[in-house]
Structure formats: structure tokens, C-alpha cells
Amino acid sequence: EFMSSTRVISAAAGSGKTTRLVQEYLSLLSSGHKAEAIIAITFTRAAGAELLDRVALTLRSALGDDAAKARLGGDLQLYADHVPKSEATVRAALRGLMNAPVGTTDSFVQRLLGEFALGARLAIAGQEPAWLDHPLQLGDPGAVFEAVARELVDPSEGLPGPDAQTCLHHLTLSETTAQISALAKQDSLAERVPMSDVVAHMVGAVAGLFRQHQEPLNLLNICDTAAERPFKSAIKSWLEEGMPVAAPVALAQWANKVARNPSKATADFRTQLLTFDAPAIQLGEISLTFSEALSMLPSDPQWSPERSQTLRDALVSLAQRVRPIALRRCAEKGALDYDLLLQAAVELCTGPPGRLRGRFSALLVDEIQDANPAQMRLYTALRDLPGNEALHTFFVGDTRQSIYLF
């Protein structure tokens, strides 16, 4: 839905994406948009400065500034057809550039929250939001989240609850608090891919490699160290049964150990495992390669997806209790990192104060392939500000270099 109402220019590096962005900016000025209302997001501060510089030089050239014409040189002709025709519009645009929201996403977020500080808040599911009464600044919420997690797992009075006891049965206290804290900082804990699905994906991929191999038993015996031996019995039984569809979990655990065996004997297969062209595993907004998922498997031969699922459910349950408490403390102390500020900006745009409605009229984003899911949520919220006409939205980037499978 978002992409159906957004224009996207995809082109390789060096093909003129910045030029196209400048042309779009000038065209917006020509059609009546004010510079103060055009959001232009760039990947670096230098790129933002360059965009502003090119726009300003082109506008000054339109007013007959010979020095500006000389600086632009032959590039002037690339922008000439997009410049406002009215001198008054050009002069107004030049004045507006001084306050134009042009720069990186993080600088825009801080600017937005500063301009609408009285409405800045962190959303808390099912509860009143946490208002950011403290002066907005970058801080470290990690210590706050870990402190709240420790209070639940290691209470000063009484015994830990059932979920905490489950975690402490498998993890140390520090490991438990660290994992709960990391989970609690995520703004979406609802959608979780079952561990059995993740493991089934990896087991199926390794089983496929065995089925393709001319001598699968020789593949199993490619190395014989203490790391791989605990898993060989189950795999050998599977081979003797003719490699049925129902493959043992030990296949993936064995592959994990082989992939990290430095011996020459395993070199070729190790390379094959680590570069295996299996479909990526999508865990909500996170996409894991086969190699990344493989490395996360526990080495305990008695481990099972069911046991892992029980542990993860307990961690998520505790994280859901930690998050609202920690968010309120972060808001009170001003302990806000970039991720939390970004969440606050999305919340502000989702339920905007009156002054924010109509504040912006266009959104331009450079290097869109590098935008992460949280940033895309911000762009969506900006475009669809309630009580506002949809923003003119224009993206420029190279989707072939996408980090987040955009």
C-alpha cells in the first residue's frame, strides 16, 4: 500500500541520483511547495549539505548571480528546466532554505521532537503513553532496561516468578537480564516465528545437501572430533533409513560444528555450508541467512526446539513486563537513544497535535535502500499524517544494494 502511492527511482551508484533529487526539490518549489515544508532525508550530513548547496546555487543562478553560475558550471543546465519562473518564488525559496528540514533521519527526528516537544511521547501498549518531559537528548537506556529486568529476575524480597525460574534454569543471571533487556527494547514482541519452524528450515536445508551428495556417509565422516560426535549417531540412523523426509535436529547441530571446524578436510564443505543458497529465514523484521541461523543453534545434544521455545516464551513474557516500566523511567530520566527517539517520532505523527497537521507537504528520501524498518514506519507516518493530505513522496536509491530486502 505504501509503495503504490510513492514514486521510487532506482539506479546504480554514479548514475545521477543526487541530480534527480535536486531536480525533484526544485520542481516542488516551482509547484508552490515551501522549502520549510519539504522534508529531504539524506544518508549522511555531507549529502544533506550538498543537496542544499546545489538547490541554493541554482536559485541564485536564476537571479543572475554569476558566482553561483560559475560554481555550478555545466551542471546548471541539468536544473534549469526545474527552477521556479517567478523571481518572488525564487527569493522566498532562498529564505526558506535556511529553515528547511534537510539532513539525516536522526537529525530530522530530533528537530521534529524539539519543535513539537509538548506532544513527544513513547507509546506503551494498553497504557497511557510515557511523556518525554525531560529535555530531549541522546542517552543510554540500556542500563535502565537491565535494571528493571534484574528487579524482576532477582527481586530484593521473595522468590523469582515461574518465568524467571525457567530462564535461570538455562541461563546465568547476567545472561537472563541481558536477553530480557534486549527483547524489551524492541517495539514489537507480538509476532514470533515458532522455534520449531526455524529449526525445520535449517534441518531441511542440511538434509538437502546430504541427499545431493554421492556418498552421504563419507560426508558425515568428513571430520571426527569431540564437537561433532554427539550428533553422529542420530544422523547415521537417518542415513541407514534411506534419508526420510523427517530428518533429525542433529543434522543442523552437526552442520553448525562442521562449519566452525578449521581443519583442511572440512574446508570445501565448510565453504558450501557458509555460502549455502537457502532462502533467508524471516523473523519478523529480521532476516537471517542460513549461516547466521545455523550459528545460533545450541551445542547441547539434549537440546530440542520445544525446550528452546519454552525458554524463549519465558524471556518474551518477562520482556513484556519490563518494557512499560523501563520506558517510563527512560522518559523521566531522559535516557533515550536513537531507536527510542525514532519510536517517539512515529507516535507523534500517528496522533499529531494540531500544529503538525499541514506542517509538511513533501517527503524526499535519498539512499532509500539503506532505510531500516523503523525508519520506513516513520516515513509512512509522515506521509499519512491524520488530517493532512498525503505528502508528495519520492524515494531515490539502488534497490540492488538493499540491506533490509527493500
PDB file of all heavy atoms in Angstrom, residues 236-257:
ATOM      1  N   LYS A 236      23.461 -40.986  11.492  1.00  0.00           N
ATOM      2  CA  LYS A 236      23.762 -42.277  10.844  1.00  0.00           C
ATOM      3  C   LYS A 236      22.499 -43.130  10.749  1.00  0.00           C
ATOM      4  O   LYS A 236      22.244 -43.797   9.730  1.00  0.00           O
ATOM      5  CB  LYS A 236      24.855 -43.010  11.627  1.00  0.00           C
ATOM      6  CG  LYS A 236      25.354 -44.260  10.918  1.00  0.00           C
ATOM      7  CD  LYS A 236      26.534 -44.873  11.667  1.00  0.00           C
ATOM      8  CE  LYS A 236      27.038 -46.126  10.929  1.00  0.00           C
ATOM      9  NZ  LYS A 236      28.178 -46.749  11.652  1.00  0.00           N
ATOM     10  N   SER A 237      21.699 -43.113  11.802  1.00  0.00           N
ATOM     11  CA  SER A 237      20.443 -43.879  11.770  1.00  0.00           C
ATOM     12  C   SER A 237      19.527 -43.354  10.666  1.00  0.00           C
ATOM     13  O   SER A 237      18.865 -44.129   9.964  1.00  0.00           O
ATOM     14  CB  SER A 237      19.732 -43.780  13.127  1.00  0.00           C
ATOM     15  OG  SER A 237      20.516 -44.373  14.144  1.00  0.00           O
ATOM     16  N   TRP A 238      19.511 -42.046  10.521  1.00  0.00           N
ATOM     17  CA  TRP A 238      18.681 -41.427   9.466  1.00  0.00           C
ATOM     18  C   TRP A 238      19.174 -41.843   8.081  1.00  0.00           C
ATOM     19  O   TRP A 238      18.372 -42.141   7.192  1.00  0.00           O
ATOM     20  CB  TRP A 238      18.724 -39.913   9.642  1.00  0.00           C
ATOM     21  CG  TRP A 238      18.021 -39.128   8.579  1.00  0.00           C
ATOM     22  CD1 TRP A 238      16.682 -39.024   8.372  1.00  0.00           C
ATOM     23  CD2 TRP A 238      18.637 -38.315   7.576  1.00  0.00           C
ATOM     24  NE1 TRP A 238      16.409 -38.191   7.311  1.00  0.00           N
ATOM     25  CE2 TRP A 238      17.593 -37.736   6.798  1.00  0.00           C
ATOM     26  CE3 TRP A 238      19.965 -38.002   7.258  1.00  0.00           C
ATOM     27  CZ2 TRP A 238      17.842 -36.884   5.729  1.00  0.00           C
ATOM     28  CZ3 TRP A 238      20.221 -37.148   6.196  1.00  0.00           C
ATOM     29  CH2 TRP A 238      19.173 -36.606   5.435  1.00  0.00           C
ATOM     30  N   LEU A 239      20.493 -41.907   7.910  1.00  0.00           N
ATOM     31  CA  LEU A 239      21.066 -42.328   6.628  1.00  0.00           C
ATOM     32  C   LEU A 239      20.714 -43.787   6.327  1.00  0.00           C
ATOM     33  O   LEU A 239      20.357 -44.141   5.198  1.00  0.00           O
ATOM     34  CB  LEU A 239      22.589 -42.139   6.645  1.00  0.00           C
ATOM     35  CG  LEU A 239      23.114 -40.705   6.673  1.00  0.00           C
ATOM     36  CD1 LEU A 239      24.631 -40.695   6.819  1.00  0.00           C
ATOM     37  CD2 LEU A 239      22.701 -39.937   5.424  1.00  0.00           C
ATOM     38  N   GLU A 240      20.806 -44.634   7.363  1.00  0.00           N
ATOM     39  CA  GLU A 240      20.521 -46.055   7.175  1.00  0.00           C
ATOM     40  C   GLU A 240      19.051 -46.301   6.833  1.00  0.00           C
ATOM     41  O   GLU A 240      18.706 -47.298   6.194  1.00  0.00           O
ATOM     42  CB  GLU A 240      20.908 -46.825   8.443  1.00  0.00           C
ATOM     43  CG  GLU A 240      22.416 -46.861   8.680  1.00  0.00           C
ATOM     44  CD  GLU A 240      22.779 -47.457  10.028  1.00  0.00           C
ATOM     45  OE1 GLU A 240      21.847 -47.607  10.874  1.00  0.00           O
ATOM     46  OE2 GLU A 240      23.977 -47.750  10.256  1.00  0.00           O
ATOM     47  N   GLU A 241      18.187 -45.366   7.241  1.00  0.00           N
ATOM     48  CA  GLU A 241      16.752 -45.486   6.937  1.00  0.00           C
ATOM     49  C   GLU A 241      16.421 -44.954   5.545  1.00  0.00           C
ATOM     50  O   GLU A 241      15.249 -44.939   5.148  1.00  0.00           O
ATOM     51  CB  GLU A 241      15.937 -44.729   7.991  1.00  0.00           C
ATOM     52  CG  GLU A 241      16.006 -45.349   9.377  1.00  0.00           C
ATOM     53  CD  GLU A 241      15.365 -44.456  10.432  1.00  0.00           C
ATOM     54  OE1 GLU A 241      14.768 -43.420  10.047  1.00  0.00           O
ATOM     55  OE2 GLU A 241      15.436 -44.795  11.630  1.00  0.00           O
ATOM     56  N   GLY A 242      17.449 -44.519   4.818  1.00  0.00           N
ATOM     57  CA  GLY A 242      17.207 -44.017   3.469  1.00  0.00           C
ATOM     58  C   GLY A 242      16.916 -42.529   3.401  1.00  0.00           C
ATOM     59  O   GLY A 242      16.299 -42.057   2.434  1.00  0.00           O
ATOM     60  N   MET A 243      17.307 -41.772   4.420  1.00  0.00           N
ATOM     61  CA  MET A 243      17.131 -40.321   4.466  1.00  0.00           C
ATOM     62  C   MET A 243      15.672 -39.911   4.251  1.00  0.00           C
ATOM     63  O   MET A 243      15.315 -39.214   3.297  1.00  0.00           O
ATOM     64  CB  MET A 243      18.033 -39.616   3.435  1.00  0.00           C
ATOM     65  CG  MET A 243      19.517 -39.777   3.721  1.00  0.00           C
ATOM     66  SD  MET A 243      20.587 -38.896   2.555  1.00  0.00           S
ATOM     67  CE  MET A 243      20.442 -39.974   1.107  1.00  0.00           C
ATOM     68  N   PRO A 244      14.785 -40.359   5.145  1.00  0.00           N
ATOM     69  CA  PRO A 244      13.370 -39.985   5.014  1.00  0.00           C
ATOM     70  C   PRO A 244      13.165 -38.479   5.195  1.00  0.00           C
ATOM     71  O   PRO A 244      14.062 -37.760   5.642  1.00  0.00           O
ATOM     72  CB  PRO A 244      12.702 -40.775   6.139  1.00  0.00           C
ATOM     73  CG  PRO A 244      13.782 -41.003   7.140  1.00  0.00           C
ATOM     74  CD  PRO A 244      15.035 -41.189   6.338  1.00  0.00           C
ATOM     75  N   VAL A 245      11.967 -38.025   4.883  1.00  0.00           N
ATOM     76  CA  VAL A 245      11.646 -36.590   4.969  1.00  0.00           C
ATOM     77  C   VAL A 245      11.833 -36.078   6.393  1.00  0.00           C
ATOM     78  O   VAL A 245      12.348 -34.983   6.615  1.00  0.00           O
ATOM     79  CB  VAL A 245      10.203 -36.342   4.492  1.00  0.00           C
ATOM     80  CG1 VAL A 245       9.818 -34.877   4.730  1.00  0.00           C
ATOM     81  CG2 VAL A 245      10.053 -36.708   3.030  1.00  0.00           C
ATOM     82  N   ALA A 246      11.410 -36.855   7.370  1.00  0.00           N
ATOM     83  CA  ALA A 246      11.552 -36.457   8.773  1.00  0.00           C
ATOM     84  C   ALA A 246      13.012 -36.609   9.190  1.00  0.00           C
ATOM     85  O   ALA A 246      13.452 -37.694   9.587  1.00  0.00           O
ATOM     86  CB  ALA A 246      10.649 -37.309   9.654  1.00  0.00           C
ATOM     87  N   ALA A 247      13.766 -35.534   9.083  1.00  0.00           N
ATOM     88  CA  ALA A 247      15.198 -35.571   9.398  1.00  0.00           C
ATOM     89  C   ALA A 247      15.430 -35.131  10.839  1.00  0.00           C
ATOM     90  O   ALA A 247      14.667 -34.338  11.389  1.00  0.00           O
ATOM     91  CB  ALA A 247      15.961 -34.654   8.442  1.00  0.00           C
ATOM     92  N   PRO A 248      16.487 -35.633  11.494  1.00  0.00           N
ATOM     93  CA  PRO A 248      16.754 -35.286  12.897  1.00  0.00           C
ATOM     94  C   PRO A 248      17.336 -33.880  13.052  1.00  0.00           C
ATOM     95  O   PRO A 248      18.051 -33.381  12.179  1.00  0.00           O
ATOM     96  CB  PRO A 248      17.771 -36.347  13.325  1.00  0.00           C
ATOM     97  CG  PRO A 248      18.499 -36.690  12.065  1.00  0.00           C
ATOM     98  CD  PRO A 248      17.470 -36.616  10.975  1.00  0.00           C
ATOM     99  N   VAL A 249      17.038 -33.265  14.187  1.00  0.00           N
ATOM    100  CA  VAL A 249      17.591 -31.941  14.515  1.00  0.00           C
ATOM    101  C   VAL A 249      19.113 -31.998  14.546  1.00  0.00           C
ATOM    102  O   VAL A 249      19.798 -31.012  14.248  1.00  0.00           O
ATOM    103  CB  VAL A 249      17.037 -31.468  15.876  1.00  0.00           C
ATOM    104  CG1 VAL A 249      17.744 -30.190  16.329  1.00  0.00           C
ATOM    105  CG2 VAL A 249      15.541 -31.233  15.797  1.00  0.00           C
ATOM    106  N   ALA A 250      19.653 -33.174  14.877  1.00  0.00           N
ATOM    107  CA  ALA A 250      21.108 -33.333  14.959  1.00  0.00           C
ATOM    108  C   ALA A 250      21.804 -32.936  13.666  1.00  0.00           C
ATOM    109  O   ALA A 250      22.983 -32.547  13.687  1.00  0.00           O
ATOM    110  CB  ALA A 250      21.446 -34.788  15.305  1.00  0.00           C
ATOM    111  N   LEU A 251      21.117 -33.005  12.530  1.00  0.00           N
ATOM    112  CA  LEU A 251      21.720 -32.595  11.252  1.00  0.00           C
ATOM    113  C   LEU A 251      22.196 -31.158  11.300  1.00  0.00           C
ATOM    114  O   LEU A 251      23.321 -30.835  10.896  1.00  0.00           O
ATOM    115  CB  LEU A 251      20.701 -32.766  10.112  1.00  0.00           C
ATOM    116  CG  LEU A 251      20.638 -34.110   9.397  1.00  0.00           C
ATOM    117  CD1 LEU A 251      19.468 -34.117   8.421  1.00  0.00           C
ATOM    118  CD2 LEU A 251      21.938 -34.400   8.674  1.00  0.00           C
ATOM    119  N   ALA A 252      21.329 -30.272  11.779  1.00  0.00           N
ATOM    120  CA  ALA A 252      21.685 -28.853  11.829  1.00  0.00           C
ATOM    121  C   ALA A 252      22.751 -28.598  12.889  1.00  0.00           C
ATOM    122  O   ALA A 252      23.661 -27.787  12.689  1.00  0.00           O
ATOM    123  CB  ALA A 252      20.444 -28.007  12.099  1.00  0.00           C
ATOM    124  N   GLN A 253      22.649 -29.279  14.024  1.00  0.00           N
ATOM    125  CA  GLN A 253      23.650 -29.092  15.076  1.00  0.00           C
ATOM    126  C   GLN A 253      25.024 -29.592  14.613  1.00  0.00           C
ATOM    127  O   GLN A 253      26.045 -28.966  14.882  1.00  0.00           O
ATOM    128  CB  GLN A 253      23.208 -29.824  16.347  1.00  0.00           C
ATOM    129  CG  GLN A 253      21.957 -29.214  16.980  1.00  0.00           C
ATOM    130  CD  GLN A 253      21.468 -30.025  18.151  1.00  0.00           C
ATOM    131  OE1 GLN A 253      21.003 -31.156  17.980  1.00  0.00           O
ATOM    132  NE2 GLN A 253      21.572 -29.479  19.361  1.00  0.00           N
ATOM    133  N   TRP A 254      25.032 -30.732  13.917  1.00  0.00           N
ATOM    134  CA  TRP A 254      26.291 -31.250  13.362  1.00  0.00           C
ATOM    135  C   TRP A 254      26.869 -30.259  12.349  1.00  0.00           C
ATOM    136  O   TRP A 254      28.066 -29.964  12.356  1.00  0.00           O
ATOM    137  CB  TRP A 254      26.013 -32.596  12.697  1.00  0.00           C
ATOM    138  CG  TRP A 254      27.148 -33.153  11.882  1.00  0.00           C
ATOM    139  CD1 TRP A 254      28.198 -33.890  12.324  1.00  0.00           C
ATOM    140  CD2 TRP A 254      27.340 -32.994  10.466  1.00  0.00           C
ATOM    141  NE1 TRP A 254      29.046 -34.206  11.284  1.00  0.00           N
ATOM    142  CE2 TRP A 254      28.536 -33.672  10.126  1.00  0.00           C
ATOM    143  CE3 TRP A 254      26.624 -32.366   9.468  1.00  0.00           C
ATOM    144  CZ2 TRP A 254      29.025 -33.711   8.821  1.00  0.00           C
ATOM    145  CZ3 TRP A 254      27.113 -32.404   8.161  1.00  0.00           C
ATOM    146  CH2 TRP A 254      28.290 -33.072   7.847  1.00  0.00           C
ATOM    147  N   ALA A 255      26.021 -29.719  11.473  1.00  0.00           N
ATOM    148  CA  ALA A 255      26.487 -28.763  10.463  1.00  0.00           C
ATOM    149  C   ALA A 255      27.053 -27.513  11.110  1.00  0.00           C
ATOM    150  O   ALA A 255      28.041 -26.933  10.634  1.00  0.00           O
ATOM    151  CB  ALA A 255      25.331 -28.395   9.530  1.00  0.00           C
ATOM    152  N   ASN A 256      26.471 -27.110  12.217  1.00  0.00           N
ATOM    153  CA  ASN A 256      26.971 -25.940  12.941  1.00  0.00           C
ATOM    154  C   ASN A 256      28.406 -26.172  13.395  1.00  0.00           C
ATOM    155  O   ASN A 256      29.269 -25.285  13.283  1.00  0.00           O
ATOM    156  CB  ASN A 256      26.062 -25.660  14.139  1.00  0.00           C
ATOM    157  CG  ASN A 256      26.543 -24.492  14.981  1.00  0.00           C
ATOM    158  OD1 ASN A 256      27.240 -23.599  14.491  1.00  0.00           O
ATOM    159  ND2 ASN A 256      26.177 -24.486  16.241  1.00  0.00           N
ATOM    160  N   LYS A 257      28.692 -27.369  13.892  1.00  0.00           N
ATOM    161  CA  LYS A 257      30.046 -27.688  14.367  1.00  0.00           C
ATOM    162  C   LYS A 257      31.025 -27.830  13.201  1.00  0.00           C
ATOM    163  O   LYS A 257      32.162 -27.349  13.262  1.00  0.00           O
ATOM    164  CB  LYS A 257      30.021 -28.979  15.185  1.00  0.00           C
ATOM    165  CG  LYS A 257      29.232 -28.859  16.477  1.00  0.00           C
ATOM    166  CD  LYS A 257      29.762 -27.734  17.340  1.00  0.00           C
ATOM    167  CE  LYS A 257      28.962 -27.559  18.604  1.00  0.00           C
ATOM    168  NZ  LYS A 257      29.444 -26.399  19.398  1.00  0.00           N
TER     169      LYS A 257
END
